[in-house]
Amino acid sequence: AVNRADDLFIHVGFTALGAQSPTGRSRPFHAEADGLVPGEGAGFVVLERLSDALANGRNILGVIRGAGLSNDGRGRGMLAPSAEGQVRAMRTAYEGAGIDPRSVQYVECHATGTKVGDATEIASMSEVFSGAEQVRIGSLKANTGHLITVAGVAGVIKVVEAMRRGELPPTPHVDKPHPALSGTPFRVLPRREPWHADGPRLAGVSAFGFGGNNAHVIVEEFRLAHAQALVAAQSGSRIESEPLALVALGARVGTGQSAADLV
């Protein structure tokens, strides 16, 4: 993922949308947060099937146990988040992986530092993680600003490195937590803490983009014995064949009259 967009375009664009912080402070989950601060960067990860990585003797940093995607559909606007859409993405990830959300110890949130956005994400997580006793949360955007197209992979890298160090990372600027956090199982860490877990460490990473494009991945700490057991279970499972659906495509864009005009 790479973001090196024109600085003027990004700042003017987010200001026009009312999303840019007028104080120039990126403060996810802060009671007085007033918007995002854009940043730039690049992040790279190498993905490989777990069975292949084990066979090839790779230095495995983490295991993606599940992923969920959704789109809000028509809503109040391009930047107006939908808790329902975020819930669908998260539930798809956990149900597909067969993992109880209450077993997750940490969530790297999308939280950009906008009042409505942060409150909506807290609401959607409260529904998915209902019954959890304590879940630590954070947002890298408090450190780097919003990296736009790099935000998701940066969150994954942060989680993998935290697992390697065995520490839960802090989120700065949380001296006054967002009021929506009251009564929830979520706690934003003002300082780093040891990451204790009975088994492999487990974390969720959220990325919610323009137009309600929602993504959530579940990242597990790599432990050889556990990874070998996962591969053995997958190789022993049988994939059921399903009938295919043929879907027609139609489009009218500009002066075009059909999908063929777009080729």
Side-chain angles (χ1 to χ4, degrees):
V2 178
N3 175 43
R4 182 59 181 89
D6 179 78
D7 187 61
L8 180 61
F9 171 81
I10 287 290
H11 283 78
V12 170
F14 278 120
T15 299
L17 291 169
Q20 179 102 1
S21 168
T23 60
R25 302 179 66 187
S26 182
R27 296 180 290 176
F29 297 126
H30 194 283
E32 298 174 359
D34 56 2
L36 61 84
V37 176
E40 63 183 39
F44 299 86
V45 294
V46 176
L47 301 178
E48 191 172 17
R49 283 188 294 264
L50 182 56
S51 57
D52 292 341
L54 290 170
N56 295 329
R58 305 295 192 203
N59 178 28
I60 303 173
L61 302 178
V63 180
I64 295 178
R65 290 293 308 278
L69 303 172
S70 75
N71 188 277
D72 294 346
R74 178 175 293 178
R76 293 171 293 166
M78 184 173 67
L79 293 183
S82 164
E84 187 273 335
Q86 295 174 7
V87 166
R88 279 191 287 115
M90 288 185 278
R91 282 187 171 158
T92 298
Y94 290 104
E95 290 173 2
I99 292 175
D100 189 334
R102 292 174 295 181
S103 63
V104 169
Q105 302 105 30
Y106 177 79
V107 177
E108 175 63 18
C109 301
H110 178 70
T112 61
T114 61
K115 291 184 181 298
V116 174
D118 288 5
T120 301
E121 188 166 3
I122 293 168
S124 64
M125 288 196 303
S126 296
E127 185 171 341
V128 173
F129 291 87
S130 176
E133 294 184 359
Q134 183 175 197
V135 182
R136 286 80 155 188
I137 64 174
S139 174
L140 184 62
K141 296 174 184 66
N143 304 90
T144 63
H146 194 337
L147 300 180
I148 318 299
T149 50
V150 185
V153 73
V156 171
I157 293 171
K158 173 185 173 180
V159 162
V160 168
E161 185 64 13
M163 289 177 172
R164 187 180 71 84
R165 292 173 177 266
E167 291 183 343
L168 288 161
T171 295
H173 320 307
V174 288
D175 51 296
K176 295 178 64 176
H178 197 295
L181 288 167
S182 179
T184 72
F186 308 115
R187 182 164 65 92
V188 186
L189 301 181
R191 60 187 61 84
R192 63 184 180 180
E193 295 181 1
W195 191 339
H196 299 300
D198 294 332
R201 297 178 176 95
L202 198 62
V205 181
S206 293
F208 305 139
F210 285 118
N213 293 304
N214 307 307
H216 186 82
V217 297
I218 307 165
V219 183
E220 184 178 86
E221 176 189 19
F222 172 71
R223 292 191 183 181
L224 180 58
H226 190 71
Q228 290 172 332
L230 285 174
V231 171
Q234 291 170 354
S235 62
S237 63
R238 188 177 67 183
I239 299 177
E240 300 290 342
S241 61
E242 296 182 357
L244 296 177
L246 299 178
V247 181
L249 173 66
R252 176 174 289 183
V253 180
T255 58
Q257 298 296 313
S258 69
D261 292 339
L262 299 178
V263 177

